[in-house]
Amino acid sequence: MVAFAILIFVFLGSVEGFSTKSQPCTYDQSKICKPALATAAFSTISFLLGAVTSVVSGFLGMKIATYANARTTLEARKGVGKAFITAFRSGAVMGFLLAANGLLVLYIAINLFKIYYGDDWGGLFEAITGYGLGGSSMALFGRVGGGIYTKAADVGADLVGKVERNIPEDDPRNPAVIADNVGDNVGDIAGMGSDLFGSYAESSCAALVVASISSFGINHEFTPMLYPLIISSVGIIVCLITTLFATDFFEIKAVKEIEPSLKRQLIISTVLMTIGIGVVSWVALPSSFTIFNFGDQKVVKNWQLFLCVAVGLWAGLIIGFVTEYYTSNAYSPVQDVADSCRTGAATNVIFGLALGYKSCIIPIFAIAVSIFVSFSFAAMYGIAVAALGMLSTIATGLAIDAYGPISDNAGGIAEMAGMSHRIRERTDALDAAGNTTAAIGKGFAIGSAALVSLALFGAFVSRAAISTVDVLTPKVFIGLLVGAMLPYWFSAMTMKSVGSAALKMVEEVRRQFNTIPGLMEGTAKPDYATCVKISTDASIKEMIPPGALVMLTPLVVGIFFGVETLSGVLAGSLVSGVQIAISASNTGGAWDNAKKYIEAGASEHAKTLGPKGSDPHKAAVIGDTIGDPLKDTSGPSLNILIKLMAVESLVNNDIVVVDDDDDYGQSRKRVETTLLLLLLFCSMKNVIFASLKFLS
């Protein structure tokens, strides 16, 4: 954080040679705006604010989850309803913490920055974009590092424990069991939280940047200017009411009521939110106003902006339900995958991959329709508020997402504590529903990331004063090709990281089973700490190359090849990344639930494939193990790739914009800046490793 904050300050400050003189405004040369050094300083402060908020929210979320999982296990003794309420309320605390912290810090920052900037709203909201960059930078570490941590442990525990030794999941004899349970919190609580926080911060910043150069900003209308924040605040109130439906109004009495109750949360929050947006759009916005649209001002009505937010909100619900259809074992796609296990792991893998590719179709159409409608009504500002619409129910989305790992850990604790089979069955039922809701959460995250990335792209080209991006020019087309390749490169890095970490984990678990006498009999304790250390070391070391790829690409492309090529790279990575992310997440989720379908043996069809330890079950476990890094590391991490590159381009806009009549001195300065960046990153790597070694 500190190292990257210094980079931002040095880069943005050096644009005008660290000048403290006021300069002409970007959009109105007749007016005088604040110096570049002020933008550098305030962008750095907002970056640190975003990063700290993201870290604190993730930390508190993990703290709550680790308190809640044992309590959920204890409540399961009284019945499945009590356990559900404990797990769900804990998830809701995490959701509200994140939504409220994000909103509060952003609102305070805007008001404090306003004291210095005064009427220069363009400069003020350009400096605020650092907040989104801070949130997403931390999400990179939470998502990529957390994904590597959790999946290295999970794959190691499953392969040796379940496949080779034939012991149950979460059995305390398995040396990797503690690392596996810790990993659920790291990846699904801290990672998911920081990812959605990053999306929220970035979509707010993208909307505010475009609004600041529209009639809201030009006429200094503060209430309409903060319309993006008002949407989020209405979302918190709506989600508070929605939560009561799960915990107070309708009590869960049977296992079969769990999943419908969680789905009801999504529907209720979406319906109430639509009404809430309608009210605030009528109250907070003037009946007619103008929005900046690539050099022109587009006249927009308040009802059109309401429709932009609503279309994003409902697109999110559609993506959530399609994801559920393709990943829940209550429906035919997952049952077909489970059935394919009859003939071994190979057919299971083929069916799972086909399911993932097919599951892209409807979510992509939903995203496409929301982009078309929102852009037609309110240009790039419409897309930014559509993304905010999708994220407006973030508190409910996070509640049903965090519920999953809490239930999963509750089951692990029940197994390790040797509690009765009945309690384990209850926690397994909670966990099965949690698996599906986690997949729904990932669907939301990917859909919102696509809209957020496009909104940031729009804000970037608006700031760079580009009216069109012509695909037929070689510079742009080359950028498109390279950008479309980046998600594959990034996925290859994260998958290989999980694979190499899992390899070490498997070897360590095998070593312990072979060398510790009495481990299989349960008379000796395994060395859990060594397995935890393998996961921790792997996650910290292995996330640096993917992180460097995401952080360096926009700067290197922008400085060496110019803003046109960079716009091609951003568009290419968005188009390619969204497809891979959806298919990877849904393939992994389907394999996981196909395994659970066979294990539960709830239907006649499932009984013919089981029980645990049968050949179809072993084939399902192999599919699940392959799917683990897809659904929890590579797939969700791609959200960060497409968002972080776009927001970084926006924040460092002044560095990467290259004029055609650029003189030799300016070009040389850019090359020197790039070399300085690379040098700092190389030295940073050594400092990070030395610090971590010292701390451990």
Side-chain angles (χ1 to χ4, degrees):
M1 240 160 71
V2 172
F4 205 63
I6 293 166
L7 283 182
I8 291 169
F9 181 73
V10 169
F11 279 7
L12 294 179
S14 65
V15 173
E16 298 290 332
F18 295 97
S19 168
T20 53
K21 290 180 183 174
S22 296
Q23 54 186 5
C25 297
T26 311
Y27 299 98
D28 189 352
Q29 298 290 322
S30 62
K31 290 182 181 174
I32 298 296
C33 288
K34 300 296 179 190
L37 193 64
T39 304
F42 282 101
S43 292
T44 306
I45 292 165
S46 57
F47 165 78
L48 289 170
L49 282 173
V52 169
T53 309
S54 182
V55 168
V56 167
S57 301
F59 175 78
L60 291 172
M62 282 182 67
K63 199 99 175 141
I64 292 155
T66 46
Y67 277 129
N69 49 28
R71 293 177 184 184
T72 304
T73 312
L74 292 172
E75 288 296 304
R77 295 180 302 180
K78 300 173 190 170
V80 77
K82 298 281 185 191
F84 170 79
I85 287 173
T86 306
F88 183 79
R89 278 187 178 154
S90 316
V93 174
M94 158 79 177
F96 288 116
L97 252 177
L98 207 115
N101 279 350
L103 185 65
L104 181 69
V105 175
L106 184 56
Y107 182 71
I108 291 169
I110 290 168
N111 281 287
L112 290 177
F113 285 17
K114 207 158 150 262
I115 296 166
Y116 172 78
Y117 276 98
D119 288 343
D120 178 13
W121 283 18
L124 162 62
F125 291 105
E126 188 181 340
I128 284 290
T129 55
Y131 186 72
L133 179 61
S136 248
S137 302
M138 292 306 104
L140 175 74
F141 298 114
R143 262 295 190 213
V144 179
I148 294 166
Y149 185 110
T150 178
K151 291 304 114 183
D154 200 357
V155 171
D158 282 0
L159 278 178
V160 184
K162 289 201 286 199
V163 177
E164 292 180 12
R165 296 283 168 165
N166 212 18
I167 58 174
E169 192 166 356
D170 298 319
D171 192 297
R173 292 173 291 176
N174 193 328
V177 73
I178 299 292
D180 184 10
N181 279 296
V182 173
D184 290 334
N185 291 311
V186 180
D188 288 340
I189 302 273
M192 185 64 164
S194 57
D195 182 3
L196 284 176
F197 171 77
S199 291
Y200 162 74
E202 286 161 339
S203 52
S204 300
C205 292
L208 291 167
V209 166
V210 179
S212 69
I213 50 176
S214 304
S215 64
F216 300 153
I218 295 162
N219 303 331
H220 298 103
E221 299 171 81
F222 195 58
T223 303
M225 185 72 218
L226 294 188
Y227 180 66
L229 274 69
I230 296 168
I231 294 169
S232 305
S233 47
V234 171
I236 293 174
I237 296 164
V238 163
C239 291
L240 276 168
I241 297 164
T242 308
T243 305
L244 297 175
F245 282 90
T247 56
D248 292 73
F249 299 157
F250 300 105
E251 199 180 329
I252 301 287
K253 290 188 174 70
V255 167
K256 63 178 186 291
E257 294 172 20
I258 298 169
E259 215 166 297
S261 175
L262 292 168
K263 282 199 292 187
R264 205 161 45 230
Q265 286 287 294
L266 291 173
I267 298 164
I268 294 166
S269 62
T270 304
V271 171
L272 292 178
M273 192 65 207
T274 308
I275 298 163
I277 295 162
V279 172
V280 296
S281 300
W282 181 58
V283 173
L285 296 171
S287 58
S288 181
F289 44 90
T290 62
I291 293 292
F292 184 84
N293 179 27
F294 301 116
D296 301 320
Q297 292 286 348
K298 181 183 174 75
V299 178
V300 180
K301 302 276 192 292
N302 57 4
W303 62 267
Q304 290 176 314
L305 212 52
F306 157 70
L307 285 177
C308 292
V309 184
V311 78
L313 179 67
W314 284 90
L317 186 69
I318 291 165
I319 291 169
F321 278 134
V322 169
T323 306
E324 191 231 359
Y325 174 73
Y326 280 105
T327 57
S328 169
N329 54 29
Y331 303 104
S332 61
V334 171
Q335 290 173 9
D336 289 345
V337 171
D339 193 62
S340 70
C341 295
R342 289 176 190 278
T343 48
T347 44
N348 180 27
V349 169
I350 293 164
F351 269 71
L353 288 171
L355 178 146
Y357 298 147
K358 195 178 176 185
S359 70
C360 291
I361 299 166
I362 298 171
I364 293 300
F365 275 117
I367 294 167
V369 168
S370 58
I371 288 169
F372 179 76
V373 171
S374 52
F375 188 84
S376 303
F377 283 146
M380 279 299 175
Y381 186 73
I383 292 171
V385 293
L388 273 170
M390 200 178 276
L391 290 163
S392 59
T393 54
I394 185 173
T396 296
L398 269 169
I400 65 170
D401 192 75
Y403 155 87
I406 291 167
S407 306
D408 193 356
N409 273 1
I413 289 165
E415 183 72 45
M416 286 185 271
M419 295 174 90
S420 72
H421 183 63
R422 196 174 74 257
I423 291 171
R424 182 72 221 224
E425 275 178 2
R426 287 170 184 166
T427 56
D428 276 354
L430 293 170
D431 182 25
N435 253 358
T436 305
T437 58
I440 292 171
K442 289 185 188 92
F444 263 103
I446 296 162
S448 62
L451 291 176
V452 168
S453 180
L454 188 59
L456 291 165
F457 179 65
F460 165 67
V461 293
S462 299
R463 286 287 303 139
I466 307 169
S467 54
T468 53
V469 178
D470 188 358
V471 180
L472 296 175
T473 54
K475 270 186 172 182
V476 177
F477 194 76
I478 290 164
L480 276 172
L481 281 175
V482 173
M485 172 273 294
L486 287 174
Y488 290 94
W489 189 2
F490 185 83
S491 296
M493 283 179 172
T494 51
M495 292 282 280
K496 194 156 186 282
S497 298
V498 172
S500 57
L503 199 67
K504 288 178 194 163
M505 188 69 76
V506 167
E507 285 168 356
E508 173 58 25
V509 175
R510 278 180 184 157
R511 183 195 68 76
Q512 290 197 32
F513 272 121
N514 293 332
T515 58
I516 299 175
L519 185 56
M520 271 303 283
E521 292 74 33
T523 54
K525 261 194 171 184
D527 177 11
Y528 300 122
T530 307
C531 293
V532 171
K533 191 177 186 306
I534 289 169
S535 267
T536 310
D537 290 352
S539 66
I540 291 166
K541 280 182 189 170
E542 299 285 354
M543 74 186 169
I544 290 173
L549 175 71
V550 177
M551 296 290 206
L552 286 172
T553 300
L555 292 167
V556 172
V557 172
I559 291 163
F560 281 120
F561 304 102
V563 74
E564 285 188 331
T565 309
L566 178 56
S567 57
V569 167
L570 295 177
S573 65
L574 165 62
V575 169
S576 158
V578 171
Q579 325 275 346
I580 301 170
I582 293 173
S583 67
S585 294
N586 290 349
T587 294
W591 276 327
D592 191 354
N593 273 345
K595 178 201 73 176
K596 283 193 162 58
Y597 175 75
I598 294 171
E599 285 175 352
S603 66
E604 287 303 316
H605 175 241
K607 282 172 188 166
T608 61
L609 299 168
K612 284 184 184 181
S614 65
D615 285 342
H617 179 251
K618 282 181 179 171
V621 169
I622 291 167
D624 176 35
T625 310
I626 298 167
D628 275 337
L630 285 173
K631 75 176 167 67
D632 288 322
T633 310
S634 295
S637 300
L638 287 169
N639 302 347
I640 316 295
L641 172 94
I642 59 177
K643 290 185 302 184
L644 192 52
M645 280 182 20
V647 76
E648 198 183 343
S649 304
L650 176 60
V651 171
N652 296 312
N653 181 66
D654 293 328
I655 305 165
V656 300
V657 173
V658 179
D659 298 318
D660 291 333
D661 57 350
D662 220 10
D663 60 13
Y664 172 73
Q666 284 282 79
S667 302
R668 185 178 161 198
K669 192 174 168 186
R670 288 200 174 88
V671 174
E672 285 169 355
T673 310
T674 311
L675 292 172
L676 171 72
L677 171 75
L678 290 165
L679 194 68
L680 276 166
F681 257 89
C682 292
S683 59
M684 248 171 67
K685 184 181 163 189
N686 295 331
V687 170
I688 290 167
F689 277 135
S691 310
L692 291 169
K693 205 166 187 182
F694 170 73
L695 286 169
S696 63

